[in-house]
Amino acid sequence: MRSAPAVEDDKVPAPPRLIPADVVTAGGDDKDIAMAIVGEERHAIDPTIEARVVRKVDWFLIPAMVVGYGLAILGSAVLFGMTTDLSLVQVDTSTTPPTSDTSRLSWATSIFYFGMLAGLYPMTFALQRFDMGRILGVVVCFWALICMLTAAVTSWQGLYAQRFFLGFVESVIPTSFMCIVSSFYTQKEQALRQSWWFSSTGLFTIIGGAMNYGFGQINGGSLKRWQYIYLLAGSLTFLYGLCCFAVPNSPVSAWFLTREERVVATERMRYGQTGVRCTKFKSSQIREAFIDIKVWLIAIMMASAYTVNGAVSGFGPLIVSTFGYSTLDSILFQFPLGGICFVLILLTGFLSSRIPNIRLILLVLCCLPVIAGCAMIWKSSWHHHAATPVAGYSIIGFFGPVVSLIISIGMANVAGQTKKCFTAATIFVAYCVGNIVGPQLIKSQTKSRHYPELWLGLIICYCITISAAVALYFVLAQENKHRANLELNDIDRDKLAFQDLTDKENPYFTYML
């Protein structure tokens, strides 16, 4: 199958008549809004203009998404600083030696994700139906206020309520970013761009650890140390929320691009058949997603892979402190974990954008160090200042690229706006399930046996992730093989690109492995 030539006989066809961005709308139409400015026929693209467009989109969207997801990580990762003040860990001194009950801490970690579960689908479909910038701006400002209100919490019961609503409003962030990337970037480009914003998982683990270490040195003041952190995180989030009002709905209405650049930004999405944006909700696409084996396999991978984060984010420093390190030392051990996560997310994203059909292979390879790290922590000696379990704890950071690859695979392999939104929400529903299950695997009474349920459970989860990835590889490869044998033509390909068809409905859609 051919792609359009950049130039022909030294002439570049004139772009189609542009419709002003403020009148471009899908309204009651069931087609993609891209049809309004590029129509059904392919238009040649000047490579120089396309390169300029990609640079502009990168500079406008990527830093904003990195900061946004980083603030989400920062606002939900400092929970361990409250354990004593809010009685999240109960110590029974009547036993010898004293025993600790961490069930409240487990639920405080999990309840955040129950809130996110409640918010994911309504937030995602609100983003599809209404102006994305306004929805993001309003919700993020509410998120900032709820984050700052954490400083007013005085009991573990109050924290439960605060964590639920914090998760509800934060649910707008990951799914919106996934949909933005799939609307502005081609299938080939998406893996790298999804990895850029998701790399905040590792980057802000380091930044959050540094902030916690710094605030841990505060000895004066009328507030607790963790209260200062939440007030700072909430204030930064509010400023970010004001900036979110400037987010465009799609390349069609991207105000930071010129009229000519909007045409190019939209036209270049034609070949991948993933579409740009359609505001009409289509229940048929929801039904298709429900019975699509690909969506279920991706959800299984995400749920099983993210159990690690549920355990590590809430209990990481607590677990490391049992190796004979102080509280502040255990905070510093978040740095290598975050560093490995950050670097490898970017590396796998880069490799995926350069080497065809390598995403699922990289995903399986990155699962293996996570399994090894869990085994090292579980089976090694936990003596004073033990090195082996700390090394195992660090290489668990390989879970970051696993999850980043799941996101890029999931979003690059669905089409149809409603189905894309549903899939994005489903991926993060599975993300929440993993985060809810992870903390529940930690049984404080099994500390002397190195929390066997936790490490065995995580190893089993990553074996499930590998199995689902292998199954998905064969499903996608078989579908691509079937479509390669069809008699297709470029004229129909161009016409179908912006009809808001799903990947199953559109025979020209090619799956990314």
Side-chain angles (χ1 to χ4, degrees):
M1 294 175 224
R2 64 173 178 83
S3 58
V7 293
E8 186 176 345
D9 296 330
D10 297 325
K11 295 181 180 180
V12 177
R17 183 178 63 86
L18 282 170
I19 298 175
D22 58 350
V23 300
V24 175
T25 176
D29 198 351
D30 61 355
K31 297 181 181 180
D32 198 299
I33 61 173
M35 292 285 286
I37 64 170
V38 296
E40 294 185 345
E41 296 181 1
R42 177 182 293 268
H43 305 278
I45 295 174
D46 186 333
T48 303
I49 298 177
E50 182 181 15
R52 185 171 71 237
V53 166
V54 174
R55 283 196 303 272
K56 279 190 173 184
V57 173
D58 282 345
W59 279 110
F60 182 83
L61 294 179
I62 300 301
M65 290 193 289
V66 169
V67 171
Y69 196 67
L71 289 170
I73 297 296
L74 185 64
S76 60
V78 295
L79 183 62
F80 65 88
M82 313 172 177
T83 53
T84 302
D85 296 326
L86 301 184
S87 302
L88 295 175
V89 177
Q90 298 169 284
V91 179
D92 185 358
T93 57
S94 63
T95 62
T96 305
T99 56
S100 299
D101 181 0
T102 58
S103 59
R104 289 179 181 174
L105 180 58
S106 295
W107 280 110
T109 303
S110 296
I111 282 176
F112 172 87
Y113 297 102
F114 278 109
M116 186 170 279
L117 274 174
L120 277 167
Y121 286 111
M123 289 289 186
T124 303
F125 290 116
L127 289 168
Q128 176 190 357
R129 183 66 184 88
F130 303 108
D131 184 87
M132 183 175 291
R134 291 177 184 175
I135 295 292
L136 267 176
V138 170
V139 175
V140 171
C141 286
F142 272 111
W143 160 26
L145 296 175
I146 294 172
C147 185
M148 286 189 283
L149 282 174
T150 314
V153 173
T154 58
S155 66
W156 57 270
Q157 296 98 327
L159 181 66
Y160 282 8
Q162 184 275 338
R163 296 285 292 175
F164 178 87
F165 288 107
L166 185 66
F168 185 90
V169 292
E170 277 194 30
S171 65
V172 77
I173 290 295
T175 51
S176 66
F177 290 177
M178 292 165 69
C179 292
I180 286 171
V181 170
S182 68
S183 295
F184 278 85
Y185 294 100
T186 64
Q187 281 179 303
K188 182 180 178 180
E189 296 166 344
Q190 285 180 29
L192 182 59
R193 272 66 182 191
Q194 299 282 17
S195 74
W196 280 350
W197 69 262
F198 194 74
S199 67
S200 295
T201 299
L203 179 62
F204 275 77
T205 295
I206 299 172
I207 293 174
M211 289 179 59
N212 282 312
Y213 189 86
F215 280 101
Q217 312 299 318
I218 297 176
N219 295 316
S222 57
L223 299 177
K224 304 291 184 181
R225 296 167 182 174
W226 55 268
Q227 291 174 313
Y228 289 110
I229 299 174
Y230 275 103
L231 288 174
L232 175 61
S235 300
L236 293 175
T237 302
F238 188 80
L239 294 176
Y240 177 75
L242 297 179
C243 297
C244 285
F245 284 97
V247 175
N249 287 321
S250 70
V252 175
S253 57
W255 57 267
F256 55 88
L257 300 176
T258 66
R259 286 172 172 263
E260 181 183 25
E261 289 169 346
R262 289 178 204 166
V263 173
V264 172
T266 305
E267 177 61 38
R268 70 193 206 93
M269 301 295 292
R270 188 187 296 274
Y271 191 83
Q273 307 286 305
T274 55
V276 174
R277 177 179 171 85
C278 177
T279 59
K280 183 175 181 179
F281 179 86
K282 298 180 180 178
S283 58
S284 61
Q285 294 190 8
I286 298 291
R287 289 194 296 270
E288 179 182 306
F290 261 118
I291 60 174
D292 191 339
I293 185 63
K294 300 187 302 297
V295 175
W296 284 101
L297 287 172
I298 291 165
I300 289 170
M301 285 193 291
M302 178 62 90
S304 54
Y306 227 60
T307 50
V308 167
N309 185 73
V312 170
S313 65
F315 290 85
L318 192 64
I319 292 172
V320 172
S321 67
T322 62
F323 307 152
Y325 295 94
S326 68
T327 301
L328 290 178
D329 286 340
S330 65
I331 293 174
L332 293 177
F333 282 120
Q334 305 306 301
F335 288 20
L337 173 74
I340 288 175
C341 193
F342 175 66
V343 171
L344 288 172
I345 288 174
L346 295 179
L347 178 61
T348 53
F350 174 78
L351 292 175
S352 298
S353 67
R354 298 290 179 175
I355 306 174
N357 298 330
I358 198 177
R359 301 179 195 193
L360 284 163
I361 295 172
L362 288 175
L363 190 155
V364 170
L365 291 177
C366 287
C367 286
L368 302 180
V370 179
I371 294 173
C374 291
M376 289 168 65
I377 299 172
W378 180 16
K379 295 300 182 180
S380 63
S381 172
W382 286 17
H383 58 268
H384 186 70
H385 286 189
T388 302
V390 170
Y393 180 77
S394 297
I395 65 173
I396 285 177
F398 272 81
F399 85 90
V402 172
V403 175
S404 178
L405 287 164
I406 293 170
I407 291 173
S408 68
I409 292 165
M411 294 308 294
N413 286 314
V414 291
Q417 186 66 31
T418 303
K419 187 176 181 180
K420 282 198 293 185
C421 289
F422 179 86
T423 301
T426 300
I427 289 172
F428 270 83
V429 163
Y431 159 102
C432 292
V433 171
N435 275 297
I436 290 169
V437 171
Q440 305 308 318
L441 295 175
I442 298 177
K443 308 296 182 184
S444 55
Q445 61 270 27
T446 64
K447 175 182 174 182
S448 62
R449 294 187 288 120
H450 300 183
Y451 304 111
E453 294 90 350
L454 172 63
W455 308 117
L456 178 60
L458 294 180
I459 290 171
I460 292 173
C461 284
Y462 269 75
C463 289
I464 294 172
T465 302
I466 292 173
S467 300
V470 172
L472 182 61
Y473 186 93
F474 284 105
V475 168
L476 298 181
Q478 185 65 29
E479 186 61 33
N480 281 344
K481 182 179 178 180
H482 169 71
R483 296 185 180 203
N485 294 326
L486 298 177
E487 294 184 6
L488 305 176
N489 63 82
D490 287 348
I491 295 176
D492 287 340
R493 167 189 284 274
D494 295 341
K495 288 181 178 180
L496 294 179
F498 299 124
Q499 300 289 339
D500 195 43
L501 300 177
T502 67
D503 53 281
K504 282 183 172 291
E505 294 170 337
N506 190 344
Y508 294 90
F509 187 94
T510 301
Y511 294 102
M512 307 294 287
L513 280 67

